[in-house]
Amino acid sequence: MRLTEIDQDAFDRVAAAKLTGLEFVLPRLSRVADHGVLWFGTAAVLGASGRPAHRRGALRGLIALSMASPAVNLVGKQIFRRRRPRVNLVPKIRIHRLPTSPAFPSGHTASAAAFATALAMEVPWKVSVPVAAVAAAVGFSRVYTGAHYPGDVLAGAASGVAAGLATRLLWPPHPGPAHVARLTRTAEEVTPSGEGVVVFANTDEDLTELLPDAEFIAAGDDIPGQLDAAAAKAKVLAVCGGDGTVGAAADAALRHDVPLLVIPTGTLNHFSRALGIETVAEALDAYRNGCLAKVDVGMVNGVPFLNTASFGAYTELVDRREKLENRLGKWPALAVAAAKVLHRAEPVEVEIDGEPRRVWLAFIGNCSYQSRGAAPTWRDDLDDGLLDVRIIEAGDRLRRLRALSAVLVGHLHLSREYEHWQTPSLRLDYEGRTLRIAHDGETRDTAAPVVFEKHLTRLRVFVPKAAG
């Protein structure tokens, strides 16, 4: 039997089927999915949830939908131009308005499969499975209402899945928590009410009802001094803020040997995301569950960093952004600063472990980063004892432009200007008295020579049960 005959037979069977309760539901579901309305609405709900994974999933889903819909409707249908099925066997109650465009592949199904596939890369299965079920129902509804043959739907589903997977090329999915060395908690460190916890807040987050017996300290002008005093009297030092504040808190926690509870309330929160903590609720659950782990801390001339340190163009970028963000806002300021830095930034002449280099951009990561490119983004381990070094050398504007082009297309690792290696320590010798260094989003002048290394003692942090 030919494929067209199999397709027709399957369509006839679905058309003749009487599924109790679905005569009302499936036609309306099919209409709601017109022009992607169902998926735009789902994305809006996920985005409003406040959970970073849901927002990422919603954005990835919309990117996939925007790829699948034109590919199927503007290209696929025009190539194949298959006629729609005859609907003489389909009950009129199911038919709303028969489409006049070609049938193959199904655009509704492609959009549904694209959104569901992309979403599943970012969100927990409790969210992705129901969305996938609705997407499958949309595909079935297109046959049930007489709009498509089953073959149209299968082709649309394949196109949508391909579009969803293709988003990985544009935007790698957020990985799970990094590996950590787990510890057994001690009872005196964890109390449900927060007794013994000192919460240092560099944001407006109010946790007084959630931790009624904790002590709260609002950030002032002397953040390092405040954190040191807080850690001196705390059984647990909790910090609300972004990566810069968390890095300063880590320094205080190490000096006083107290565990650190990271409560993500900053803009990016790279370190807390590496721990598997993306929301305030997840941070408090990690504390109450008492799951402790030990993680590496990088040091640059004795100053700790938890994510990355850098010098060269990125440091200039951070300085320019900070000057502009009060007037423009953080993200517009970042865009303006990036344009100026790419045009004007000059290489820094340094010796790296005794070898002369002309460096345009350099990142030094705390632990090995798995992502490609000059700017590290995610790690598999937080306790490997290594620094991840990435540099771009740029002797002239042409080489710098070539390196920038490689960054934009995601193939910097193939560029001759790019080097990447791991090492337990790194020394920079610089002819000037100080070198401008950025670490965890903060910048400072650091006296030469500049030594990057690992702290001798690992930091104790609270992590979710599933981490590690």
Side-chain angles (χ1 to χ4, degrees):
M1 187 180 290
R2 295 184 303 172
L3 289 177
T4 54
E5 293 175 346
I6 295 174
D7 212 13
Q8 181 67 60
D9 182 65
F11 175 81
D12 292 342
R13 290 175 182 273
V14 173
K18 295 181 180 180
L19 304 178
T20 304
L22 298 183
E23 300 282 337
F24 176 83
V25 174
L26 289 179
R28 284 158 179 78
L29 178 63
S30 182
R31 292 200 294 272
V32 171
D34 282 347
H35 308 296
V37 172
L38 174 62
W39 310 116
F40 284 109
T42 303
V45 172
L46 291 169
S49 69
R51 298 179 70 88
H54 291 183
R55 291 198 297 266
R56 290 195 304 271
L59 179 57
R60 184 180 295 278
L62 293 179
I63 293 172
L65 188 152
S66 69
M67 295 167 61
S69 182
V72 167
N73 292 308
L74 301 180
V75 180
K77 288 181 182 293
Q78 303 309 314
I79 292 175
F80 295 100
R81 303 198 66 81
R82 188 185 193 185
R83 292 185 177 182
R84 298 279 175 170
R86 296 181 180 179
V87 295
N88 52 306
L89 294 180
V90 180
K92 291 183 179 180
I93 191 175
R94 303 183 198 170
I95 302 172
H96 172 60
R97 185 179 63 238
L98 289 176
T100 57
S101 61
F104 186 92
S106 167
H108 281 66
T109 309
S111 295
F115 187 89
T117 300
L119 181 70
M121 297 180 194
E122 300 286 356
V123 302
W125 67 268
K126 292 181 180 179
V127 177
S128 63
V129 169
V131 172
V134 174
V138 168
F140 181 75
S141 75
R142 301 304 287 166
V143 182
Y144 196 64
T145 58
H148 285 283
Y149 290 105
D152 305 337
V153 169
L154 292 176
S159 301
V161 170
L165 295 176
T167 63
R168 299 170 66 94
L169 302 176
L170 302 174
W171 179 22
H174 183 264
H179 174 270
V180 290
R182 290 168 151 284
L183 303 173
T184 303
R185 74 173 174 89
T186 55
E188 65 270 15
E189 289 173 334
V190 177
T191 59
S193 63
E195 183 181 356
V197 177
V198 178
V199 182
F200 180 84
N202 197 18
T203 64
D204 296 329
E205 194 74 30
D206 186 2
L207 303 177
T208 52
E209 293 185 2
L210 299 173
L211 296 171
D213 292 335
E215 179 181 347
F216 290 84
I217 299 174
D221 294 331
D222 182 18
I223 289 178
Q226 286 182 294
L227 283 166
D228 190 70
K233 58 183 176 181
K235 289 183 179 178
V236 172
L237 177 61
V239 55
C240 297
D243 286 318
T245 307
V246 173
D251 189 24
L254 285 167
R255 281 199 302 273
H256 295 279
D257 191 26
V258 296
L260 182 68
L261 172 61
V262 181
I263 302 175
T265 56
T267 303
L268 297 176
N269 306 307
H270 288 301
F271 182 65
S272 67
R273 287 168 63 184
L275 295 176
I277 296 174
E278 297 203 19
T279 66
V280 172
E282 289 174 348
L284 295 180
D285 284 344
Y287 164 71
R288 294 194 173 102
N289 289 329
C291 297
L292 279 173
K294 279 190 173 182
V295 299
D296 285 0
V297 175
M299 305 290 290
V300 49
N301 279 20
V303 178
F305 65 95
L306 297 173
N307 301 306
T308 62
S310 63
F311 64 94
Y314 181 77
T315 307
E316 185 177 342
L317 174 67
V318 174
D319 285 337
R320 287 181 180 274
R321 184 208 70 200
E322 289 179 349
K323 292 178 181 179
L324 296 170
E325 65 182 13
N326 288 336
R327 290 187 289 118
L328 303 179
K330 189 165 189 175
W331 297 112
L334 180 61
V336 173
K340 291 183 178 180
V341 167
L342 291 174
H343 179 66
R344 300 178 184 176
E346 295 297 330
V348 178
E349 296 190 9
V350 296
E351 287 189 2
I352 300 179
D353 288 337
E355 183 179 352
R357 301 286 192 116
R358 299 188 72 232
V359 178
W360 181 47
L361 179 67
F363 279 90
I364 297 91
N366 174 36
C367 299
S368 300
Y369 280 76
Q370 275 60 54
S371 52
R372 290 176 171 178
T377 54
W378 59 274
R379 293 163 276 190
D380 280 343
D381 294 281
L382 287 175
D383 57 357
D384 64 6
L386 296 172
L387 298 171
D388 191 294
V389 184
R390 301 169 185 229
I391 66 170
I392 299 176
E393 290 189 290
D396 52 42
R397 289 185 180 276
L398 179 60
R399 294 178 64 188
R400 186 170 67 185
L401 180 61
R402 191 165 59 215
L404 175 60
S405 300
V407 171
L408 294 176
V409 300
H411 291 288
L412 182 58
H413 61 290
L414 301 178
S415 171
R416 288 178 295 173
E417 286 75 29
Y418 173 69
E419 288 189 55
H420 175 203
W421 70 94
Q422 284 84 34
T423 180
S425 64
L426 189 77
R427 177 188 171 103
L428 302 180
D429 289 289
Y430 182 61
E431 289 187 358
R433 297 179 60 184
T434 60
L435 181 63
R436 193 73 170 166
I437 301 288
H439 51 88
D440 292 338
E442 308 291 328
T443 60
R444 69 177 66 203
D445 290 323
T446 304
V450 181
V451 177
F452 298 89
E453 56 192 346
K454 286 300 184 80
H455 199 285
L456 295 177
T457 304
R458 286 177 172 169
L459 174 69
R460 287 185 293 153
V461 292
F462 286 90
V463 295
K465 277 187 175 180

